Amino acid sequence: MGSPCPESLPFIWPVILAVVAINTLPVQCTPPNIVFILADDLGWNDVGFNNPDIISPHIDGLARSGVILNQSYVQPVCTPSRAAVMTGVYPFRLGLQHLVIMPQQAVCAPQNRTFLPEVLKAAGYATHAVGKWHLGFCNKKCTPTYRGFDSFLGLYNGMEDYYTKEVAGGFDFRDNEELAHSYAGNYSVYQYSERIRKIIATHDTSKPLFLYLPFQNVHTPLQVPQKYLDMYPNITDSDRKTFSGMVTALDDAIGDLVNSLKMKGIYNNTIIVFSGDNGGMVTAGGNNYPLRGSKTTVFEGGTRAAAFVHGPMFQVTGVRYNGIIHAVDWFPTLLEAAGIQNKIKDQDGVSQWLPLLRQISPSNRQEIVYNLDDSMVAITGKAAIRIGDYKLIDGFPGAFPDWYKPAQSRDRWGPLSERSAFKFIKWAGLFRPRESFKYLFNLKTDPNEHVNLYDKYPDIVQQLESKLQEHRKRMIPANFPFPSRKSNPTNYGGAWTPGWC
């Protein structure tokens, strides 16, 4: 099947060329195949390589024979993270910094931004997406096959029943652009695996392959076949038990993926990136311990992903890399790995390819913006930035801001029977002024954010606040409209369908 092209191995290709010159032998090479796996709502403590109580041998095997990314950052929620990966641009510059795209909203990832698969496709890659989209669908031009993918199987929205394929009163499952009612009834991860096997088996190996796999697991609703529940007899909390089983179901799908790559003979020229899209939701079985916080927060628990990169070209494997990486970096990083010149201007991402390959050089990134949302509503209005070891949070950091061990997640604000909107609003801080939330942490000495240094180091606070103010000049308002009646699935035979914006 050939070997990685010199452009994807810049540290050795002069040596290869010298050998070729001496021996006058031709070199056959192909760009690397790329598999990008995005696990939905997977927490830091929800994989075996961070928590031995989780059964994920295939994920763990890839991670431990690759490079585990200790400081790989994503956004606090789904849509912004996906937009960051696809565009290489911070969500606050896309208008997607404010929560997620809801089914009834006339919102898409900006169409004037180039998506990663568009560039790869133009360079000769076959491009396929399997799983959850969540980047808008109200106009068909917002959907995957119009944004660079040769094929798509999955859901347009942010969540749905894993069996019925329904959400918020409508059916949502597509095979390319067509509704796929025949998929209703079976567990979606099995169906994704079947499609992935078919894509790989029929792939023309004269072309490189890009597989984008934003799996539905382990997002709510918490659903998994019984055999996976039976694998966790010692977990008594029902949410955590089901969630853990969902991780193992995802792990089996990844094991099946690796087996398919090997059977096709392309595994040894494939880069595999694995990442959560945000932290685990602590009220839905997810866990980020010992990191602070939950999904939706700008604490580390909401934004540091369980992540790794794997491939035959990495010089050092079986290690944890501590360089800072952000979701926006994958666009330029993967293009460099593929030997493709990145001609897209006005991106926030920087290529991390050489630091990841060698792991002896520091990250090409020393600053990240966790989020920048100037909403006047306290629960969403927040900004956070990291420069070097210091992190500043300005505004409400998000609900569930503590440290939660597994199966203790729901204790923070009581069982379902005791919850009320008023209690939650009061606890979450909506009645507190935004200015009352100020944090400064040294993540080198305090990675789990226990000690607030805001009042101790005013000079550092001023430096980070000044940098945030610079970023605000580039911010565009959040595109978060009221729900549209035009979206109602009853207008389209009971399915969520493009054509109303």
Side-chain angles (χ1 to χ4, degrees):
M1 296 291 97
S3 58
C5 277
E7 292 87 349
S8 67
L9 298 173
F11 59 95
I12 66 168
W13 68 284
V15 177
I16 293 176
L17 293 177
V19 171
V20 170
I22 293 171
N23 294 284
T24 64
L25 292 175
V27 174
Q28 180 186 4
C29 66
T30 57
N33 305 296
I34 300 169
V35 176
F36 197 106
I37 302 167
L38 204 57
D40 201 356
D41 283 9
L42 184 79
W44 177 264
N45 202 33
D46 292 333
V47 286
F49 64 82
N50 285 336
N51 178 3
D53 292 336
I54 297 294
I55 303 169
S56 54
H58 301 108
I59 293 172
D60 301 345
L62 289 171
R64 288 170 179 152
S65 60
V67 182
I68 296 173
L69 306 176
N70 260 4
Q71 298 192 80
S72 181
Y73 286 93
V74 289
Q75 298 298 123
V77 287
C78 308
T79 295
S81 290
R82 293 156 200 271
V85 170
M86 287 289 111
T87 65
V89 178
Y90 279 131
F92 74 84
R93 300 182 56 228
L94 302 171
L96 297 175
Q97 69 270 43
H98 190 70
L99 301 178
V100 300
I101 296 176
M102 305 303 291
Q104 306 88 348
Q105 288 182 307
V107 178
C108 297
Q111 295 180 55
N112 63 343
R113 293 287 184 177
T114 302
F115 271 28
L116 174 62
E118 295 180 88
V119 180
L120 291 171
K121 186 174 181 177
Y125 272 74
T127 59
H128 303 275
V130 181
K132 165 181 158 178
W133 183 236
H134 211 190
L135 287 170
F137 70 93
C138 63
N139 186 312
K140 67 179 181 180
K141 293 182 180 179
C142 304
T143 60
T145 53
Y146 287 83
R147 304 296 315 242
F149 288 105
D150 295 326
S151 75
F152 171 71
L153 180 75
L155 63 151
Y156 284 161
N157 280 296
M159 61 175 288
E160 68 179 6
D161 188 285
Y162 283 74
Y163 293 93
T164 67
K165 311 297 190 281
E166 293 180 354
V167 59
F171 180 83
D172 181 16
F173 208 77
R174 299 271 168 170
D175 189 344
N176 294 323
E177 298 167 45
E178 300 300 318
L179 286 168
H181 287 282
S182 64
Y183 282 82
N186 199 2
Y187 193 59
S188 63
V189 76
Y190 295 157
Q191 296 163 320
Y192 296 147
S193 287
E194 183 179 356
R195 174 55 63 90
I196 293 165
R197 284 195 298 270
K198 182 177 179 181
I199 290 171
I200 294 172
T202 59
H203 173 63
D204 177 0
T205 55
S206 67
K207 286 183 165 186
L209 174 66
F210 174 57
L211 269 179
Y212 174 55
L213 307 179
F215 280 98
Q216 187 179 354
N217 291 50
V218 285
H219 198 291
T220 53
L222 299 180
Q223 296 173 311
V224 76
Q226 183 64 41
K227 71 174 185 178
Y228 292 106
L229 292 175
D230 294 342
M231 298 173 73
Y232 292 93
N234 296 326
I235 297 180
T236 57
D237 179 87
S238 60
D239 283 358
R240 184 63 179 170
K241 187 186 191 79
T242 305
F243 184 98
S244 300
M246 293 170 76
V247 176
T248 304
L250 169 65
D251 183 75
D252 278 352
I254 291 173
D256 193 72
L257 158 73
V258 170
N259 186 57
S260 295
L261 292 170
K262 289 179 177 178
M263 290 181 64
K264 187 69 174 179
I266 60 176
Y267 174 77
N268 287 331
N269 189 29
T270 299
I271 299 166
I272 300 175
V273 178
F274 175 93
S275 176
D277 68 338
N278 44 246
M281 189 66 196
V282 299
T283 57
N287 195 258
N288 308 299
Y289 193 80
L291 300 182
R292 182 176 185 174
S294 172
K295 171 186 175 179
T296 77
T297 77
V298 290
F299 288 120
E300 297 294 284
T303 55
R304 268 179 70 185
F308 67 81
V309 62
H310 178 281
M313 62 288 296
F314 294 103
Q315 289 182 306
V316 181
T317 58
V319 297
R320 288 181 178 263
Y321 177 63
N322 287 309
I324 300 172
I325 299 173
H326 190 274
V328 295
D329 295 337
W330 289 116
F331 191 122
T333 298
L334 293 175
L335 288 191
E336 184 174 352
I340 300 170
Q341 183 181 358
N342 186 9
K343 297 181 181 179
I344 307 302
K345 306 299 182 184
D346 193 30
Q347 286 186 324
D348 298 300
V350 294
S351 177
Q352 303 280 9
W353 186 237
L354 286 180
L356 285 175
L357 279 174
R358 296 176 176 175
Q359 299 162 54
I360 56 174
S361 56
S363 167
N364 289 328
R365 172 177 296 283
Q366 294 301 312
E367 174 189 309
I368 59 170
V369 179
Y370 292 79
N371 200 28
L372 188 51
D373 187 347
D374 279 352
S375 167
M376 296 304 294
V377 179
I379 197 169
T380 55
K382 63 175 72 70
I385 189 172
R386 174 179 178 175
I387 300 177
D389 295 328
Y390 285 97
K391 172 181 179 179
L392 174 74
I393 299 176
D394 177 10
F396 181 59
F400 308 104
D402 291 336
W403 301 263
Y404 307 94
K405 293 182 180 180
Q408 296 180 335
S409 306
R410 293 172 297 166
D411 297 344
R412 184 67 175 98
W413 56 303
L416 281 168
S417 60
E418 297 176 10
R419 298 179 191 178
S420 71
F422 179 79
K423 285 181 180 178
F424 175 70
I425 288 172
K426 183 177 180 181
W427 173 83
L430 290 178
F431 298 145
R432 291 173 58 186
R434 175 178 168 180
E435 292 74 18
S436 67
F437 297 100
K438 300 283 189 179
Y439 300 87
L440 178 71
F441 299 106
N442 183 332
L443 295 179
K444 183 176 182 179
T445 59
D446 181 27
N448 301 324
E449 299 171 296
H450 287 279
V451 182
N452 186 358
L453 303 172
Y454 188 87
D455 294 326
K456 188 174 182 179
Y457 297 117
D459 291 346
I460 296 175
V461 168
Q462 183 178 11
Q463 176 191 354
L464 271 62
E465 286 181 341
S466 176
K467 192 64 177 179
L468 270 179
Q469 197 59 34
E470 290 181 26
H471 286 298
R472 280 191 173 91
K473 297 175 183 177
R474 306 191 304 147
M475 180 177 66
I476 68 172
N479 186 4
F480 199 80
F482 287 108
S484 170
R485 292 182 179 178
K486 295 179 181 179
S487 68
N488 196 316
T490 58
N491 298 329
Y492 304 95
W496 293 103
T497 302
W500 46 275
C501 75

